[in-house]
Amino acid sequence: MAALRAWFAGLAPREQRIVLIGAVVAGCVLLLGALLPLERKVAAAKEELAGKQADLAWIRSVAPRLASLRSPVAHGGGESLVVLADRVARQAGIARSLTGSQPGGDGTLSVRLEQVSFDALTSWMATLLQQYGTRVVSSTIERTATAGVVSATVVLRSR
């Protein structure tokens, strides 16, 4: 630092002013170079936030309407969970894989399926939930030697 001061002191007064003005200009350029990108990012973040808030307001405004449009869950017409699970399995084409079912004491039904396509199994469970309001309490899915084919135990509960 002492060498820099000595060099600066050795300059003519006119050169000292030029160096000082240059240092101030360089400092301003560096400061603007750092602040402008930050300002742009802040402006972009504010714009994104405003968009997200508008989306949230819209979602909140249509949520009650969407809830009222939701199709009511068609219950199994008074049929037992065992009959419902079997009927939906037949409709899904996996009735041959249904090897057993056992009612639980708490209103659940444990269903065992052997050698069933995983896609058909998930479709069966989705149909039970979406069309009949039957929940999957738990499931144990085991792979078999055949790709895409599983064995599963699914515990169901009706609403």
Side-chain angles (χ1 to χ4, degrees):
M1 191 71 168
L4 185 60
R5 286 186 185 165
W7 171 79
F8 186 74
L11 295 176
R14 180 174 179 223
E15 291 172 334
Q16 286 179 352
R17 278 192 301 268
I18 291 172
V19 168
L20 284 175
I21 291 171
V24 169
V25 169
C28 288
V29 167
L30 287 174
L31 187 63
L32 286 175
L35 291 179
L36 282 178
L38 289 176
E39 189 276 330
R40 286 185 189 127
K41 286 186 179 189
V42 167
K46 284 181 180 178
E47 187 176 313
E48 183 179 352
L49 177 63
K52 300 271 186 199
Q53 287 174 333
D55 290 346
L56 178 60
W58 179 79
I59 289 171
R60 285 183 175 161
S61 71
V62 298
R65 183 172 173 219
L66 291 176
S68 70
L69 294 176
R70 183 186 297 175
S71 62
V73 175
H75 292 286
E79 60 189 3
S80 72
L81 192 53
V82 174
V83 174
L84 178 65
D86 183 64
R87 183 171 55 80
V88 175
R90 290 181 196 288
Q91 291 170 349
I94 61 170
R96 61 176 173 70
S97 299
L98 198 62
T99 59
S101 60
Q102 182 174 358
D106 55 353
T108 61
L109 175 69
S110 178
V111 179
R112 180 73 186 162
L113 297 109
E114 299 283 342
Q115 301 294 318
V116 62
S117 161
F118 180 77
D119 292 340
L121 174 67
T122 55
S123 175
W124 173 73
M125 290 190 292
T127 300
L128 285 170
L129 172 64
Q130 294 169 352
Q131 293 183 10
Y132 301 100
T134 301
R135 298 264 182 212
V136 175
V137 176
S138 68
S139 64
T140 304
I141 300 173
E142 304 145 1
R143 69 174 138 180
T144 63
T146 308
V149 176
V150 297
S151 293
T153 301
V154 181
V155 179
L156 304 171
R157 175 174 299 169
S158 62
R159 284 189 185 176

